[in-house]
Structure formats: C-alpha cells, structure tokens
Amino acid sequence: MIFKIEDVEVYFPYDNIYPEQYEYMVELKRALDAKGHCLLEMPTGTGKTIALLSLITSYRLAHLESPIKLIYCTRTVHEMEKTLAELKLLHDYQVRHMGERARILAIGLSSRKNLCVNTKVLAAENRDSVDAACRKRTASWVRALPADNPNVELCDFFEKYEKDAERALLPPGVYTLEDLRAFGKKHGWCPYFLARHMVQLANIIVYSYQYLLDPKVAGIISKEMQKETVVVFDEAHNIDNVCIEALSVSVRRVTLEGANRNLNKIRQEIDRFKATDAGRLRAEYTRLVEGLALRGDLSGTDQWLANPALPHDILKEAVPGNIRRAEHFVHVLRRLLQYLGGRLDTENVEKESPVSFVSSLNSQAGIEQKILKFCYDRLHSLMLTLEITDTDEFLPIQTVCDFATLVGTYARGFSIIIEPYDERMPHIPDPILQLSCHDASLAIKPVFDRFQSVVITSGTLSPIDLYPRLLSFNPVVSRSFKMSMTRDCICPMVLTRGSDQLPVSTKFDMRSDPGVVRNYGKLLVEMVSIVPDGVVCFFVSYSYMDGIIATWNETGILKEIMQQKLVFIETQDVVETTLALDNYRRACDCGRGAVFFSVARGKVAEGIDFDRHYGRLVVMFGVPFQYTLSKILLARLEYLRDTFQIKEGDFLTFDALRQAAQCVGRVIRSKADYGMMIFADKRYSRHDKRSKLPGWILSHLRDAHLNLSTDMAIHIAREFLRKMAQPYDKAGTLGSKTLLTQEDLEKMAETGVQDMVY
C-alpha cells in the first residue's frame, strides 16, 4: 500500500497496516524532521522492523536532494539476516512502483568468519584464527614474497579482487550475507573485502552494534560515515551493557603468561630484523618521531583493530621518546607485566580509581601515564614493522596494551577491581584484574555527536525515562506504543503461592526452601498437562536451574513432567543448546509437545523466538536480578548513584524487569499468535516491581490475575485456552480496527488518527 504521512509518500509492502505501525512511523518522521534522536518502545510481533525500513527509505526518496544513509544495527547475525530479508521484500515493492529511481544498495557486513569463501581459511576453528589465517594470505608483505618464493600461499579470491579493483563493485540491490558469498564465488572476488569497500557507497548497511560502539572496530569500519546518516539500534534494551563491555578489559594470570611469550617472540623478531633489515626499524623510529600519522595510509588488509580509546580522546602527537626504540618499548612492557603479575598476587579484593592505579604504577615500575596512552598504537606499529601475521597468537599482549591505553586515557567513569577468586567458588584461586567501565554514555557519545538521528528501539524499554539518563542524551521523541488487538491474545499472570498456600519466590533466603521447589514443580506438572505444544521455562541462573532440576529428579516431579512432554535443557555450550532447540522444535512440530528449560540471562532469552505452537506458555521462575555481590556491579551502582542520582534499588529492579519482559516477550510474535505468561514469584505482585514491565504487558494484566495460587492459575489457563480455540475476526471490524487499509488511512488523514486507533 502507498499512503502519505504529511509530505512523505510511504511505500509499505503489505495490504494492511497495524495502527501502532502507523503511529510509530509518524513519531519516527517527527524525529527525522527535527534531525534529533528518539526512543521508541514497540510491542514484539507488531512489525517494528518493516515500519522502520518503510518510513526511512520513503523519507530518503522524498528528500533526494540531500539523501540520508541508514545504518541498521542488530545484535545477532540471525537478526541481521531477518532484517535484510524484510528489506529485500520492501525494495522489490518500491522498484515495482517507482522504477529505477527507487534502486538502492543495501549490504550486511559481518566478520571474515561469516563472509569468507576460502575453504582453507574457514577451516580455522574460531573468529580470531580465521582473521589470522586471512592475514597470512593477504598482508602486503606476504603478497610481495611469491616473486622470490613461489611456495607462499595466497588467497585467489583476494588476488582477483585486487586485480579487478576498478571493476570490483556490487550492482544495486539488497545483499544478505549468503548473497555476498554467492556473488563473491561467482566473480572470484573476496566477499569480505568487497563488502568493506562498498560500505562507503551503500545506502543502507546492516551490521552489529560493535561496529559503531566498540572504538577498536568502529575506528576501521565506521570512521568515514557522513553526518546525514540515520542510525537505528534495534532490540536496544541492553544497549547500556553493550557500551560498557566495549570499554572494559579483563586480565588474568593466563593473559600475562601469554603476553610474556608474545614479548619473547617479538624480541626474537627485533633481533632478526636488526641483523637483516635494520633500516626498517630506523624508518619506523623516524615515523614515530613525527607522530602516529601511520593511521591513514594502511592498505585494508594490513589494518589492525583501531585504538581502544574513543576517537576524540586520542592524542595526535609524537610517541614519547623512551618507547620509540623497539627494544625500549619491549622493556617497558616487561615491567608492566611484572607489575600486573604482582598486583594479581593478592589475598583481598582491591578496588581503586585509574588515577591512583597509574600513580602507583609510576612510582613502582617507573611507567608514566603518557607512555600507557600510547601502548596500543605503539604495539600496532611494531607488529606491522615486524610483519607479524599470526594476530590470534598475539591476543594476550594486545589485551594488556588495550588495558594500558584505556587506564592511561580515562580518569573517571572507570574502576580497577582486583579479585583473588570468583565469589561463587571461593576455594579456587583464580585472580582477575578488571578495568571496568561504569558509564555507558562514554561509548555512545561519539555516535550521538556524529550522526543527525539515532533511533533506539525495542519491545522492552520500560521505564523509558531511565535510558536518557543512562546514556546522557536528550531525545526529541520518546514514546511507548500499545498493541491494538481484536482479542486478548496474551494472558499474563502473577503467581504468588502454591496450591498449599505457601509463598513462592527465588529470594535468597527462600530459594532453597523445599516447599518453594516443590510448588514450582507442581505448577509445571499441572501446566504441562493442560497446555498444548511448547512450554518455555526461564530460571534466574544456571546454578539455580541445575539445583532445582536435580531436586525435581530426586522427588519424581521430573518424571511426571516427562510423562506429558519431552524435556530439553539449555547449557552453557552453544552447540548443545542449538541441538536441544532443534529437537525441541521437532517435538512441537510432531504434536508430542515439549518443555524447554532456559536461563533468563542465557543465550535463548535474547533473539530466539518461540512463536506459534513453539511457545504457548512461558514461566518466569523468580525475578532475574544480577548477582548483587559482584564487585563490578556494586562499583557501577555506586557510580550511577553519585553521577546520575539513580538509586541502586531502582537500577537493579529496572535491569531485572527488562530481562524478565524480554524472556516472556519471546512467546508472542504476531497478532494471530497467542500465549500465556506466568511470573512465578510473590515479588511481582508489588507495584514497584510490576510497574516497570512494558505497557503492552501491563495493559493485559488484570487485577484478578495479580495474586494467584497454582490452582487458580490452572483455572485461568483452561479458560484462556478455550477462548483462544474459537475462530476470531482478524481485521477487527467490530468496534476497533487492528488492520487498517488504504481507505482507512485516507479517512484518518481527514478526521485525525485517534478516531480509528484502539
């Protein structure tokens, strides 16, 4: 359908549109017109992605004199592929109606592991090894060798891409990762470097958060994007955690041992170069005297990860004199490793600020702050000079230099925390030194400053007013949308007690109570006997899930569950979990039905959908608070309290409830779908906890469902399932409309939106 929103003609590839999609587009257009940032919370399963893409591509077509570029950030490769599939559909529709004028170039960009087509490179087991295997065949100094040594192995795809450099371009169209690989194979060009090259020319780029938020990656990929760019962070409820991880570094004993081995190898290489090619080391010295101007003139293959500090915090000046000579720099790194090793030999937990850490490092090891700032770039320069391609082997020394640069650059918003062991396993010495970032706004600030509009959107952004404080920005639009429905297809319930009237909760003093474990088991036994198809259960942690399943097994509860449905369990192993998920889906497909045990902060809670018969009921056992004795969490809470005046309790509740909402939101993925959500913990009945759930869940949570026992929940579930089994009116002509046609939209334009919606 084609309709107008003010001066923009919107091309939407479906015959009907939901009222909330239309409203979403109106608010998004307001933000684009104002050239400002916005926060939009939209219920899951209401077509958020297609609404975003339709409006922004149509807006671009309406303003061809100053065309905007779209960067769409997703969290997983699976989400990236889904977005590109939607975009393909939309692009075909627009080209059909507008012809060549609507043609765009849209690409997905991912790591070498996902884009490489060289079978020998792909044989490496993990991402870092694939990167290193690629560098061994594509680095400029390696490619210069075959003239003297014909046995050197190069990559045919990269060689052909370089040879056809002028012609190596993608024609307009939408390219998924699979399309890029197929195109690369067909033309004999490397898809990874082709995609990297096309990033500057593409109208729409879909890639992961790290490409914008992690300075090490953003420094290579995103540094030349123009200001007229709209950035979308989809599923952005955890964006503050992504920002913090991008600027945090951990160093363990094994890191220091590896770094020492790396230094020995570097030292050998320096000695070899001194004997054979001393001029190269002298040339590097001269370049460092002039300043680190080497950033601009590297070929794409020789680029290493950029500096871990944010672009505006990096000094553009000469490297300090005492680390210009390679052997002096290695000596400084040895002293740094020695100092860090000494700090890891501690019996107590230590916490200090970067300023006091740097001053004690200076007094004990004689390393100044300015030297620390340059560690990462100096190592980068040295590894290029020494022509080192095994970058995966040198990860430990990179991590140490990463740590040194960050601790030397930032005085506030960070803490150094040294722990002699993990609190959960106090008998096993496992010392760890962590540079922990507490301020999420640091990593995202350059994005807000550089681009004209940043859209942060998700199904769970409640309470929405906390995000501008956490990320310190002022949105021009901040809205939360409800779901328009013809029938109540979601049924949230709060279960506070078992059928024996004993309260249930995962509070620390109650979680191992046999009565609570038994009541949770009985609830599940009753539910699996009446709910068809798939049931998903989320627990607060892996250890709690393991403990409760073991108890259920001993008491025979697990056996009762398995008489009704098959049971599958998420583990910390990705391959095992993927296999369990596949078999769970097969069990649901063949009508046998299944139960999936999962963890609220595990892999399944993010990005895996249990739509239709794969999830008719989701049970959230407990409130998924973070581990509150974690020193890193406590330091962050203290920083949030002192800097943003956010109370500890408020942040912890907000964080736990967005995670719970994310888990239960997996069950409903469209309006034709239906499902039940059980919050099994007495704490959910308290208003301060419950009020932080998204509006689209709260609007269906009736007062009568707030304080249930197991038998009451069973009764409500039976009634709900009976109601859902009836045929229903999809378009909602009786009273309220949930599917709007072109005529409805034209009427709305004349009479005002609210007459038609809800």
Side-chain angles (χ1 to χ4, degrees):
M1 60 199 292
I2 302 166
F3 54 90
K4 279 199 110 133
I5 295 182
E6 292 163 13
D7 57 334
V8 171
E9 196 147 24
V10 179
Y11 291 82
F12 188 76
Y14 297 106
D15 295 336
N16 299 91
I17 185 170
Y18 297 144
E20 55 270 41
Q21 281 179 312
Y22 182 79
E23 281 202 87
Y24 186 90
M25 289 183 186
V26 170
E27 295 297 336
L28 185 55
K29 183 182 179 298
R30 274 180 53 205
L32 296 183
D33 285 342
K35 293 186 168 42
H37 312 311
C38 65
L39 271 168
L40 298 170
E41 182 184 50
M42 174 97 146
T44 49
T46 49
K48 179 172 72 249
T49 305
I50 196 66
L52 260 166
L53 294 171
S54 295
L55 190 275
I56 295 173
T57 51
S58 302
Y59 192 88
R60 186 183 164 278
L61 289 166
H63 298 87
L64 281 174
E65 68 288 347
S66 57
I68 54 171
K69 189 169 186 145
L70 169 62
I71 297 177
Y72 196 100
C73 299
T74 65
R75 274 190 326 218
T76 62
V77 173
H78 175 64
E79 283 172 11
M80 184 195 299
E81 293 284 44
K82 275 195 336 199
T83 304
L84 285 162
E86 288 271 31
L87 187 55
K88 227 177 204 176
L89 183 85
L90 172 65
H91 183 242
D92 291 346
Y93 181 79
Q94 289 179 340
V95 170
R96 210 164 53 242
H97 283 274
M98 293 184 70
E100 294 303 304
R101 194 162 69 91
R103 285 209 180 277
I104 54 167
L105 175 61
I107 55 170
L109 182 62
S110 189
S111 63
R112 287 174 172 87
K113 188 163 172 45
N114 294 324
L115 280 174
C116 179
V117 287
N118 185 323
T119 45
K120 287 183 181 168
V121 172
L122 281 174
E125 64 275 10
N126 59 29
R127 202 175 74 190
D128 295 317
S129 309
V130 170
D131 287 355
C134 174
R135 280 201 183 88
K136 281 177 195 164
R137 292 166 171 79
T138 59
S140 53
W141 56 87
V142 175
R143 295 176 60 226
L145 291 174
D148 312 324
N149 181 358
N151 297 328
V152 172
E153 194 175 338
L154 300 179
C155 173
D156 296 337
F157 291 100
F158 182 73
E159 291 305 312
K160 179 126 177 24
Y161 165 73
E162 282 286 287
K163 197 168 123 226
D164 300 346
E166 296 299 311
R167 293 188 301 112
L169 296 169
L170 281 169
V174 179
Y175 294 86
T176 62
L177 301 184
E178 183 51 52
D179 295 337
L180 283 169
R181 288 195 297 270
F183 186 87
K185 277 183 187 165
K186 183 181 167 191
H187 291 81
W189 296 333
C190 169
Y192 173 74
F193 285 103
L194 179 63
R196 280 269 300 271
H197 171 59
M198 296 306 292
V199 159
Q200 300 304 330
L201 308 172
N203 309 107
I204 299 179
I205 307 146
V206 184
Y207 56 35
S208 93
Y209 282 31
Q210 271 67 25
Y211 284 34
L212 272 184
L213 297 177
D214 187 336
K216 296 199 288 297
V217 191
I220 313 171
I221 305 288
S222 308
K223 63 177 188 293
E224 285 153 20
M225 298 292 184
Q226 65 256 36
K227 170 105 178 117
E228 293 74 38
T229 297
V230 177
V231 176
V232 174
F233 289 108
D234 194 9
E235 296 297 332
H237 47 276
N238 276 338
I239 192 164
D240 52 320
N241 295 338
V242 178
C243 292
I244 276 168
E245 281 164 26
L247 291 174
S248 298
V249 187
S250 305
V251 176
R252 294 175 182 271
R253 272 255 149 54
V254 59
T255 319
L256 298 182
E257 289 160 10
N260 263 315
R261 285 196 300 277
N262 294 159
L263 285 185
N264 293 339
K265 194 161 178 190
I266 287 174
R267 183 74 234 198
Q268 287 168 9
E269 290 292 311
I270 292 170
D271 293 343
R272 188 169 68 78
F273 265 76
K274 271 187 166 167
T276 58
D277 193 357
R280 186 177 292 242
L281 288 169
R282 272 200 303 279
E284 183 193 39
Y285 180 83
T286 317
R287 191 175 67 226
L288 295 176
V289 174
E290 292 162 5
L292 272 169
L294 85 161
R295 275 200 200 90
D297 55 5
L298 292 177
S299 85
T301 52
D302 296 347
Q303 277 179 343
W304 205 36
L305 290 177
N307 194 299
L310 297 165
H312 53 74
D313 297 326
I314 301 169
L315 297 171
K316 301 277 193 288
E317 57 184 86
V319 171
N322 45 359
I323 57 168
R324 281 180 196 156
R325 292 205 185 284
E327 49 274 275
H328 292 175
F329 176 57
V330 171
H331 185 56
V332 166
L333 288 183
R334 284 238 191 267
R335 295 209 306 272
L336 176 62
L337 291 179
Q338 213 171 345
Y339 175 80
L340 293 176
R343 291 301 300 265
L344 282 176
D345 279 335
T346 177
E347 297 291 310
N348 308 312
V349 174
E350 295 175 21
K351 178 192 164 206
E352 61 182 317
S353 69
V355 177
S356 72
F357 183 87
V358 169
S359 77
S360 74
L361 178 59
N362 193 3
S363 60
Q364 290 179 44
I367 302 173
E368 297 166 12
Q369 181 188 3
K370 191 169 179 187
I371 292 174
L372 289 173
K373 276 188 186 182
F374 281 99
C375 275
Y376 196 85
D377 280 334
R378 181 66 190 93
L379 179 71
H380 178 185
S381 169
L382 182 58
M383 286 180 73
L384 285 174
T385 304
L386 298 177
E387 300 182 343
I388 290 172
T389 48
D390 305 341
T391 42
D392 55 335
E393 285 178 31
F394 285 81
L395 286 173
I397 193 69
Q398 290 176 38
T399 304
V400 171
C401 287
D402 193 347
F403 170 83
T405 295
L406 287 170
V407 84
T409 307
Y410 296 104
R412 56 181 300 279
F414 288 79
S415 295
I416 284 115
I417 297 167
I418 304 167
E419 297 181 80
Y421 49 76
D422 187 328
E423 275 130 342
R424 289 172 251 202
M425 289 179 280
H427 316 299
I428 305 167
D430 179 22
I432 180 168
L433 183 148
Q434 300 169 89
L435 174 69
S436 176
C437 173
H438 307 314
D439 192 345
S441 64
L442 283 173
I444 203 167
K445 186 178 185 299
V447 181
F448 285 137
D449 292 347
R450 269 178 56 202
F451 300 117
Q452 74 177 30
S453 287
V454 177
V455 180
I456 292 175
T457 186
S458 176
T460 42
L461 287 178
S462 298
I464 207 162
D465 56 336
L466 207 53
Y467 284 89
R469 286 159 72 191
L470 283 173
L471 304 174
S472 66
F473 76 110
N474 292 317
V476 291
V477 174
S478 178
R479 273 288 304 272
S480 183
F481 301 95
K482 288 200 175 74
M483 206 169 184
S484 60
M485 294 188 171
T486 53
R487 57 174 186 170
D488 290 335
C489 62
I490 56 174
C491 176
M493 299 178 248
V494 174
L495 183 110
T496 56
R497 54 198 194 280
S499 38
D500 55 4
Q501 304 305 313
L502 281 175
V504 293
S505 176
T506 55
K507 266 175 84 171
F508 202 71
D509 52 353
M510 286 177 70
R511 63 169 53 177
S512 47
D513 182 322
V516 172
V517 176
R518 187 182 64 248
N519 275 324
Y520 276 158
K522 289 278 184 247
L523 164 72
L524 197 53
V525 168
E526 295 282 352
M527 281 296 174
V528 294
S529 66
I530 64 161
V531 176
D533 303 318
V535 175
V536 189
C537 303
F538 286 100
F539 296 86
V540 289
S541 68
Y542 282 107
S543 55
Y544 183 61
M545 178 171 77
D546 294 346
I548 210 166
I549 291 173
T551 312
W552 286 351
N553 190 30
E554 286 160 19
T555 52
I557 288 175
L558 200 58
K559 197 173 175 191
E560 286 184 61
I561 295 170
M562 287 167 73
Q563 281 171 351
Q564 304 286 344
K565 293 185 190 302
L566 297 176
V567 172
F568 298 93
I569 302 174
E570 175 187 352
T571 66
Q572 303 204 33
D573 182 290
V574 180
V575 180
E576 275 182 12
T577 301
T578 310
L579 198 61
L581 259 174
D582 283 349
N583 286 325
Y584 168 81
R585 288 179 190 277
R586 282 169 59 193
C588 292
D589 286 338
C590 72
R592 174 76 172 82
V595 183
F596 196 84
F597 289 152
S598 181
V599 174
R601 292 178 188 276
K603 298 167 190 72
V604 172
E606 298 284 338
I608 305 261
D609 298 338
F610 293 99
D611 53 337
R612 308 188 320 279
H613 59 293
Y614 299 127
R616 287 302 181 207
L617 164 70
V618 63
V619 186
M620 180 74 239
F621 290 113
V623 185
F625 283 108
Q626 286 191 54
Y627 180 59
T628 44
L629 295 178
S630 154
K631 298 291 181 291
I632 289 179
L633 178 62
L634 292 171
R636 184 180 178 195
L637 291 173
E638 190 184 317
Y639 180 82
L640 289 175
R641 189 189 63 222
D642 298 345
T643 314
F644 301 117
Q645 286 73 55
I646 296 171
K647 292 181 192 150
E648 287 102 322
D650 284 354
F651 179 78
L652 284 170
T653 304
F654 152 76
D655 183 64
L657 270 284
R658 68 174 165 182
Q659 205 57 49
Q662 193 56 26
C663 293
V664 298
R666 306 285 96 214
V667 80
I668 184 112
R669 306 313 292 171
S670 78
K671 294 190 185 183
D673 205 353
Y674 63 88
M676 294 177 288
M677 309 166 174
I678 295 180
F679 296 93
D681 193 305
K682 63 175 189 175
R683 288 173 289 180
Y684 286 111
S685 63
R686 286 172 39 190
H687 183 262
D688 66 318
K689 300 274 186 293
R690 198 175 66 247
S691 62
K692 291 185 169 60
L693 286 169
W696 60 274
I697 293 179
L698 284 177
S699 61
H700 291 86
L701 185 57
R702 300 182 194 154
D703 290 348
H705 294 180
L706 282 181
N707 188 3
L708 303 177
S709 63
T710 302
D711 32 10
M712 291 157 76
I714 298 294
H715 175 69
I716 291 167
R718 277 206 169 99
E719 285 295 307
F720 174 76
L721 289 167
R722 193 174 297 131
K723 204 161 80 185
M724 288 300 108
Q726 309 308 315
Y728 76 105
D729 167 28
K730 285 189 177 123
T733 43
L734 306 168
S736 66
K737 281 210 160 192
T738 65
L739 285 176
L740 304 178
T741 60
Q742 191 123 11
E743 296 81 65
D744 293 330
L745 289 177
E746 282 159 14
K747 255 188 237 165
M748 279 165 69
E750 292 163 21
T751 58
V753 179
Q754 291 309 318
D755 297 354
M756 300 294 294
V757 178
Y758 315 131

